[in-house]
Amino acid sequence: MQLPEHCTLCPRRCGANRAAGRTGYCGAGDTLLAARAALHHWEEPCLSGDPNAATGSGTVFFTGCTLQCCYCQNYKISQQGLGKPLTAERLAEIFMELQQKGAKNLNLVTATQWLPWVTQALDAARRNGLTLPVAYNTGGYETVETVKALAGYVDIWLADYKYADPEFPIVIRSLYVEDDCGIVLENVVKEHTENEESTKIGLSNIKKMMGKMCGECRIEERNNLFIMTLLFK
């Protein structure tokens, strides 16, 4: 993927010229930013394993967010720009370092706005021996094109399903998109539902979208951890 000159990586399709250093709605520009990379012991148990163990989920928290929820627990990262600049090469090294520390998986938190760097780093890390399953920890506000671009990269979709009532994005102004009061994942699911006349969003429709990307659920029997699945929270 190329650095976008008219960014459409998320459903907001804000059109920011990121290649020229312009910032999108998400806060992302032309320099990759990440706030933290470490073994995370308090992710979902099927990803982190025993919270008292020395290892955990190899989590990278990326700066910025396409949703900007007003109640975000990581708002300093998602909305206030907390993070350090990285290159794709350094990000690939971080992936390898997490694997060497015994991470159970690679957990990419809110990575969509940095997709060109992330896929480049994953390619480089895999050439250097990265074998960890990749979890895509997303707020769920994704486009069909972005989901398709992640085919072959993502093993575990860890997606939020925040709103099942179309009134919520009007009340929660941080999720409101002008001229579009649809709910999270609406843009994606509409294109994947077999009945285009239906705008009702259900987990079955979302499963059709992402379930095809990661195949059947697979569990590592020794540690009872997911290595391939679709998981909603």
Side-chain angles (χ1 to χ4, degrees):
M1 295 182 67
Q2 299 297 316
L3 192 59
E5 295 181 357
H6 183 85
C7 194
T8 58
L9 287 174
C10 87
R12 293 189 186 278
R13 302 183 188 275
C14 69
N17 187 348
R18 307 259 311 273
R22 301 290 186 270
T23 344
Y25 180 91
C26 60
D30 62 351
T31 302
L32 171 64
L33 298 171
R36 187 171 188 265
L39 296 177
H40 190 9
H41 306 285
W42 301 104
E43 195 58 88
E44 282 71 11
C46 55
L47 294 180
S48 294
D50 183 353
N52 297 313
T55 59
S57 181
T59 306
V60 181
F61 291 89
F62 292 94
T63 303
C65 181
T66 62
L67 281 177
Q68 305 282 316
C69 298
C70 59
Y71 50 79
C72 180
Q73 64 178 349
N74 294 327
Y75 71 95
K76 290 184 178 181
I77 299 173
S78 65
Q79 298 170 39
Q80 294 186 351
L82 178 65
K84 295 182 179 179
L86 297 172
T87 62
E89 292 76 17
R90 176 60 188 133
L91 183 60
E93 291 174 356
I94 289 171
F95 293 164
M96 295 302 299
E97 289 166 7
L98 289 170
Q99 177 170 274
Q100 291 161 7
K101 290 178 180 179
K104 303 297 185 183
N105 45 63
L106 192 58
N107 188 347
L108 309 179
V109 182
T110 319
T112 292
Q113 63 273 18
W114 305 111
L115 204 59
W117 289 267
V118 170
T119 52
Q120 182 180 339
L122 284 171
D123 286 337
R126 284 174 172 170
R127 286 194 297 269
N128 289 325
L130 181 72
T131 58
L132 294 177
V134 175
Y136 204 71
N137 198 332
T138 167
Y141 196 47
E142 306 291 358
T143 67
V144 173
E145 294 82 8
T146 292
V147 171
K148 287 181 177 178
L150 287 165
Y153 290 103
V154 173
D155 303 291
I156 301 166
W157 284 96
L158 180 59
D160 289 341
Y161 186 64
K162 294 177 184 288
Y163 306 105
D165 185 335
E167 298 299 322
F168 275 15
I170 298 174
V171 177
I172 308 290
R173 289 292 176 180
S174 59
L175 282 180
Y176 181 71
V177 183
E178 186 175 358
D179 297 326
D180 177 12
C181 59
I183 65 177
V184 176
L185 278 175
E186 181 175 13
N187 293 346
V188 179
V189 177
K190 275 186 180 179
E191 296 189 41
H192 281 263
T193 180
E194 295 176 1
N195 181 2
E196 289 292 337
E197 296 178 358
S198 172
T199 57
K200 180 180 179 181
I201 295 181
L203 290 176
S204 60
N205 289 334
I206 300 170
K207 185 176 181 180
K208 288 178 185 177
M209 176 188 71
M210 290 183 176
K212 289 181 179 179
M213 306 298 290
C214 59
E216 297 294 329
C217 175
R218 290 170 50 196
I219 298 175
E220 183 186 41
E221 294 183 5
R222 182 166 57 93
N223 295 311
N224 203 31
L225 298 174
F226 282 134
I227 55 176
M228 183 177 288
T229 193
L230 170 67
L231 184 64
F232 282 93
K233 52 182 178 162

